[in-house]
Amino acid sequence: MPEVLREPTFLILTALAREPMHGYGLISEVSTLSAGRLTLRPGTLYGALDRLGDDGLIATDREEIVDGRLRRYYRLTDDGESVLRAETERMRLNVQAASQRLRAREQAATTRLAGGVA
């Protein structure tokens, strides 16, 4: 698994952190988590699920037949949880660093506007 997760992968793992989900549920949950910015197409989703399964980050939880069609539910594995936690921490530290820099920039601009020495 790459050191930095792409956003769709991060959101799929995030969606599965709460409970096992099937494909359509994942598509809907990823859209919700991204505030509608990211819409996964079925082919993209199932390709990602295959890769995540191969990497041991997700596993099949159960299968059921609904309206004559197979519905497969996926769950986050312990390794998947570890990867998601590590990525969440990496992102948190990046947000913290960016926020500190932006606050410093705002303070410098305020000082300049108030006639201080920049």
Side-chain angles (χ1 to χ4, degrees), residues 1-117:
M1 185 95 282
E3 188 173 312
V4 175
L5 298 179
R6 292 179 50 229
E7 186 177 22
T9 302
F10 176 80
L11 292 174
I12 290 167
L13 295 177
T14 299
L16 292 172
R18 185 172 62 191
E19 64 187 351
M21 300 184 87
H22 57 80
Y24 179 77
L26 282 166
I27 289 171
S28 178
E29 188 67 12
V30 165
S31 179
T32 299
L33 288 168
S34 69
R37 287 182 301 100
L38 186 62
T39 302
L40 293 176
R41 295 180 181 204
T44 302
L45 172 67
Y46 288 104
L49 292 174
D50 286 343
R51 284 188 302 279
L52 291 168
D54 290 346
D55 291 341
L57 303 183
I58 67 168
T60 300
D61 185 69
R62 68 186 184 278
E63 296 177 340
E64 63 185 18
I65 303 295
V66 177
D67 296 328
R69 299 182 67 188
L70 178 66
R71 181 179 288 173
R72 182 173 290 135
Y73 286 77
Y74 301 89
R75 65 175 171 78
L76 193 65
T77 64
D78 291 343
D79 286 346
E81 179 182 350
S82 294
V83 166
L84 181 59
R85 285 184 186 281
E87 182 66 0
T88 300
E89 180 63 9
R90 183 194 69 78
M91 291 169 68
R92 186 190 69 75
L93 292 171
N94 286 344
V95 167
Q96 182 181 18
S99 296
Q100 288 171 348
R101 298 284 173 106
L102 288 168
R103 279 192 299 277
R105 179 182 171 89
E106 289 168 0
Q107 290 171 352
T110 301
T111 301
R112 282 193 301 274
L113 290 174
V117 177

